[in-house]
Amino acid sequence: MALAVTLLTAPKGLGHYIRTHYGDRTFENLYHLNGFDLCLIIPYFVVMVILAFYGVHRYQLVWLYYRNKKNASKWTEPTARFPEDDLPFVTIQLPIFNEQFVINRLVDVCCRLDYPRDRFEIQVLDDSTDETTTVAREVVERYAAGFAGMPPQPIVYLHRSNRHGYKAGALDAGLRTAKGEFVAIFDADFAPPRDWVRKVIHHFADPSIGMVQTRWTHLNRNYSFLTQVEAILLDGHFVLEHGGRSRAGVFFNFNGTAGMWRTKVIDEAGGWQHDTLTEDTDLSYRAQLIGWKFHYLQDVECPAELPIEMTAFKTQQARWAKGLIQTGLKILPRVLRSDAPWHTKLEAWYHLTANISYPLMIVLSVLLMPAMIIRSYQGWLQMLLIDLPLFMASTMSVSSFYMVSQRELFPGRWYRTIFYLPFLMALGVGLTITNTKAVMEALFGIKSAFARTPKYSVKKKGEVSQAKKYRKRLGIIPWIELAIGGYFALTIWYAIASENYFTVPFLVLFVFGYWYTGLLSLLQGRFERFSPNGSASHEKPYPVGV
């Protein structure tokens, strides 16, 4: 209390600052808006209002999650169950492309799934163009023949000589020979637990259920600071986005892996189509539009590997951003014309258009400094009453959104998330350039190949990876990110010089976000040779030729 009084009453203290900056009306009404200022201010506020709407939507998802908590699906409470002696036939599809470091782990865990072997088969759908073909074929042959501790498994290897349709094409090709009434899909970096199929299958005893999605968890969450932040981002999606939408009974999507489909639903909805980069979301909406219902089992976990390098993470996020916009352009007109309830249509709109915020962030980045200058002349009270609420709605909802998701998953230690929040927000800012490029390509109809996310079977800190095997650079984009970060550093200088201290913490997030993503993209792998284990190879889980 004494400290507060001192700060307020000191000659040059906080009280003096407030009086001179907010109470001095000497120059009031000397500045008037002109046409040039309006050309900057109007787009600035339009962008801020749109971003604020998407920010408020995050709060709506949290509200839907808690309001409809009683509607949560649980693996222990299916509406009906299949008789144990009459379980349906299940096909496990494993689409892979150049996955030599994780294929053995994938096959091993799938061959250990607890399900009757006379009602079960595994398809390895390989589109690889490197030595993965040799590794995968030999792994499949080994498990098909059986070995000590592993009886022969019903597993087959299917290789395509072309990548027509990419992952969607591979899944479609596998369905032509699949025997299963139901089909579960796992990407190469996933490791489903032994009881996964049994926890999921009984939900299909309800004949109206077309797909069941389970929650991703993270094998290498603690591998690096980057993977810890990535884990929080994904947790938010799988807890509050999937949880909120599924509990509210609106449309949500299959995530491409760690889920199971009723096979006939895929055909009825038009099959796997490859005109978008998110074929999973595309098929999900088509299936729900014809009346099929989906379940989301938040309490069923399926561990997976997070990208360990910045360029891999950017590639993954850009593919998702582009694919969702492509799906929105394709599917939203059908959704809006359908007889679905208006709140379902509204949620679909928010879901499929959310990535439009990235180009808007670019516009905001360009206009922020001019807007600061113009608005400062108009008076600080207007900035506090108008600009600050809009900015808080569009940005602070991010932090509260992810804190709530961590509290749901880790009730005893969720508060540790507070440390990561600034970095999480900064990383979101840093993705702006790559995701804007992806979104604009989608809007202008520019097609691109399905860019896979490299996986290296690493879990622990300090473990050496074979990242250089599949590492890609992002060309000029990291340099653009560094340049924009420099621009925001200049904006911070102006804010301090003009004593606009309230904006500095937010501007620091922009500087850190752009510089962090830019520098990590440029420097990844540059110092591997200096590592004490830099020359050591990551041991493959299954050696070639054995």
Side-chain angles (χ1 to χ4, degrees):
M1 184 67 182
L3 178 62
V5 172
T6 302
L7 287 173
L8 287 171
T9 60
K12 297 292 184 179
L14 183 61
H16 175 266
Y17 177 84
I18 293 173
R19 286 193 303 274
T20 57
H21 286 76
Y22 304 112
D24 189 352
R25 300 180 179 273
T26 303
F27 301 101
E28 189 175 24
N29 299 322
L30 291 180
Y31 172 79
H32 298 281
L33 276 174
N34 55 44
F36 177 77
D37 292 345
L38 287 174
C39 289
L40 294 174
I41 289 294
I42 291 174
Y44 170 77
F45 274 114
V46 169
V47 169
M48 288 289 286
V49 168
I50 295 173
L51 291 175
F53 270 108
Y54 282 102
V56 170
H57 175 248
R58 296 189 189 96
Y59 291 120
Q60 182 187 11
L61 286 172
V62 175
W63 179 72
L64 289 174
Y65 179 83
Y66 285 110
R67 179 176 181 265
N68 300 290
K69 200 164 188 174
K70 64 181 184 299
N71 298 334
S73 299
K74 299 179 181 179
W75 76 265
T76 54
E77 300 174 3
T79 55
R81 301 184 72 89
F82 292 109
E84 184 62 27
D85 58 353
D86 193 27
L87 290 172
F89 200 104
V90 173
T91 296
I92 307 292
Q93 289 190 320
L94 310 178
I96 64 172
F97 175 69
N98 295 352
E99 317 278 9
Q100 60 177 303
F101 302 115
V102 293
I103 181 60
N104 186 74
R105 179 182 67 194
L106 174 67
V107 169
D108 183 73
V109 295
C110 289
C111 286
R112 297 181 188 276
L113 289 169
D114 177 22
Y115 204 74
R117 286 307 182 258
D118 61 337
R119 280 160 275 179
F120 179 83
E121 68 172 349
I122 301 172
Q123 295 179 332
V124 176
L125 308 174
D126 188 11
D127 281 1
S128 298
T129 56
D130 67 357
E131 55 265 43
T132 301
T133 56
T134 302
V135 177
R137 184 179 288 107
E138 293 182 357
V139 169
V140 170
E141 290 175 353
R142 183 168 183 252
Y143 279 82
F147 52 88
M150 177 64 67
Q153 297 296 311
I155 183 170
V156 294
Y157 175 78
L158 303 174
H159 181 261
R160 296 197 305 165
S161 57
N162 65 78
R163 292 188 69 200
H164 177 69
Y166 305 109
K167 180 181 176 180
L171 294 171
D172 184 58
L175 283 179
R176 296 170 195 166
T177 58
K179 305 173 185 176
E181 182 183 351
F182 301 94
V183 56
I185 301 168
F186 299 103
D187 283 349
D189 53 327
F190 279 72
R194 179 176 170 80
D195 57 357
W196 189 91
V197 177
R198 285 190 176 272
K199 286 182 174 180
V200 171
I201 191 64
H202 292 291
H203 286 266
F204 289 100
D206 179 346
S208 68
I209 300 300
M211 190 279 298
V212 175
Q213 175 68 49
T214 62
R215 180 168 62 88
W216 298 6
T217 54
H218 319 292
L219 290 167
N220 58 335
R221 186 186 192 103
N222 297 317
Y223 179 79
S224 67
F225 189 84
L226 176 62
T227 56
Q228 289 171 326
V229 175
E230 290 173 12
I232 296 172
L233 287 169
L234 282 173
D235 288 344
H237 170 70
F238 278 95
V239 174
L240 295 178
E241 289 190 52
H242 267 5
R245 290 180 182 127
S246 63
R247 293 178 180 188
V250 299
F251 294 165
F252 73 99
N253 63 293
F254 169 58
N255 288 101
T257 177
M260 184 182 291
W261 283 86
R262 192 183 298 270
T263 308
K264 72 174 184 178
V265 173
I266 299 175
D267 182 60
E268 288 181 9
W272 291 108
Q273 298 175 9
H274 52 84
D275 51 349
T276 74
L277 292 179
T278 48
E279 71 292 322
D280 42 20
T281 303
D282 174 26
L283 177 60
S284 298
Y285 272 83
R286 285 186 277 119
Q288 289 169 106
L289 281 169
I290 61 174
W292 287 100
K293 299 184 183 303
F294 288 5
H295 272 184
Y296 171 59
L297 302 181
Q298 185 172 309
D299 55 349
V300 179
E301 301 178 358
C302 192
E305 187 177 315
L306 294 161
I308 62 173
E309 293 196 326
M310 182 59 75
T311 52
F313 178 61
K314 284 180 176 178
T315 300
Q316 180 191 66
Q317 294 296 311
R319 186 181 76 238
W320 291 348
K322 182 173 183 177
L324 281 179
I325 294 296
Q326 289 175 325
T327 302
L329 292 171
K330 174 182 177 179
I331 294 295
L332 271 178
R334 290 176 56 184
V335 173
L336 297 176
R337 290 194 304 267
S338 72
D339 57 359
W342 71 267
H343 64 276
T344 298
K345 297 178 181 180
L346 180 63
E347 187 56 44
W349 176 273
Y350 273 119
H351 180 201
L352 297 178
T353 65
N355 289 296
I356 204 70
S357 60
Y358 288 106
L360 296 178
M361 286 287 290
I362 295 291
V363 176
L364 183 65
S365 298
V366 172
L367 295 176
L368 189 58
M369 188 169 181
M372 281 176 56
I373 297 172
I374 296 170
R375 298 290 286 152
S376 65
Y377 285 123
Q378 294 179 320
W380 295 103
L381 184 60
Q382 289 188 39
M383 292 187 69
L384 288 173
L385 295 180
I386 301 175
D387 300 54
L388 187 62
L390 287 174
F391 198 83
M392 295 288 283
S394 58
T395 58
M396 297 309 294
S397 62
V398 175
S399 58
S400 55
F401 182 84
Y402 290 105
M403 283 184 66
V404 170
S405 70
Q406 294 303 291
R407 186 176 181 273
E408 283 294 294
L409 294 179
F410 311 107
R413 51 190 175 92
W414 66 271
Y415 56 87
R416 299 179 185 177
T417 309
I418 296 173
F419 170 74
Y420 292 99
L421 287 179
F423 305 100
L424 184 148
M425 295 172 68
L427 182 61
V429 170
L431 293 171
T432 299
I433 302 298
T434 49
N435 284 4
T436 294
K437 177 177 178 290
V439 169
M440 298 310 292
E441 287 178 351
L443 291 175
F444 287 100
I446 300 173
K447 300 293 185 180
S448 58
F450 186 99
R452 61 177 284 277
T453 306
K455 299 106 182 178
Y456 305 109
S457 189
V458 293
K459 298 181 183 179
K460 301 176 182 177
K461 289 183 178 180
E463 188 174 357
V464 180
S465 77
Q466 287 285 354
K468 61 184 178 182
K469 172 71 179 178
Y470 297 120
R471 179 178 294 136
K472 293 181 179 180
R473 303 293 177 185
L474 293 176
I476 197 175
I477 287 179
W479 297 103
I480 296 175
E481 290 166 345
L482 293 179
I484 295 178
Y487 167 76
F488 277 101
L490 181 63
T491 305
I492 291 176
W493 171 82
Y494 174 80
I496 294 173
S498 61
E499 298 184 341
N500 187 4
Y501 301 121
F502 291 109
T503 62
V504 171
F506 300 105
L507 295 173
V508 168
L509 291 178
F510 281 78
V511 174
F512 180 79
Y514 283 117
W515 281 357
Y516 178 63
T517 55
L519 286 172
L520 252 63
S521 300
L522 291 172
L523 299 179
Q524 63 182 17
R526 301 294 188 190
F527 304 104
E528 286 179 349
R529 61 182 180 274
F530 300 117
S531 170
N533 299 318
S535 61
S537 295
H538 178 76
E539 182 180 355
K540 293 181 183 178
Y542 182 70
V544 177
V546 174

